[in-house]
């Protein structure tokens, strides 16, 4: 089974790096990319991925609100928050919104893949 992933981060370089990492991994593929929280919500609805990897701070709708919307459906998608901000309030907010995990961007690449 291939795990389909949507990448949501406002930094194109971060998305590109994650895409290269994921596409080089057997059984995981990128289903789409979003640069805002609103785009992530729409893309999750349109593509029905297995996992959305989302940043906390993005223009417009932040990652916590987007997580809340993505995980609220009848067939919710799992969300993993990946951010530079290792802050307890963000961790609590993300998990309370329905995230399955909270990762920081300075983690080992293998650990990020394992979380996905």
């Amino acid at each position: 089974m291939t795990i389909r992933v949507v990448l949501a981060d406002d930094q194109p370089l971060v998305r590109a790096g994650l895409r290269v990492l994921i596409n080089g991994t057997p059984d995981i593929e990128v289903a789409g990319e979003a640069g805002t929280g609103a785009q992530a919500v729409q893309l999750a609805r349109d593509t029905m991925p297995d996992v959305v990897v989302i940043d906390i701070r993005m223009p417009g709708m932040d990652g916590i609100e987007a997580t809340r919307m993505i995980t609220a459906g009848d067939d919710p998608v799992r969300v993993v928050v990946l951010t530079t901000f290792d802050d307890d309030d963000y961790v609590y907010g993300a998990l309370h919104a329905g995230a399955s995990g909270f990762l920081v961007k300075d983690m080992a690449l293998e650990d990020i893949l394992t979380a996905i």
Side-chain angles (χ1 to χ4, degrees), residues 14-76:
V14 172
R15 290 195 316 267
L18 287 170
R19 182 180 350 101
V20 168
L21 175 68
I22 288 170
N23 285 339
T25 303
D27 301 325
I28 306 176
E29 69 181 18
V30 175
E33 297 180 31
T36 69
Q39 289 173 349
V41 171
Q42 189 61 52
L43 195 55
R45 289 178 179 157
D46 292 346
T47 65
M48 292 304 298
D50 299 298
V51 178
V52 174
V53 177
I54 195 165
D55 192 11
I56 290 281
R57 288 192 184 172
M58 292 186 291
M61 180 188 304
D62 69 16
I64 292 175
E65 182 59 27
T67 296
R68 186 174 290 110
M69 295 179 74
I70 291 167
T71 60
D74 292 335
D75 192 14

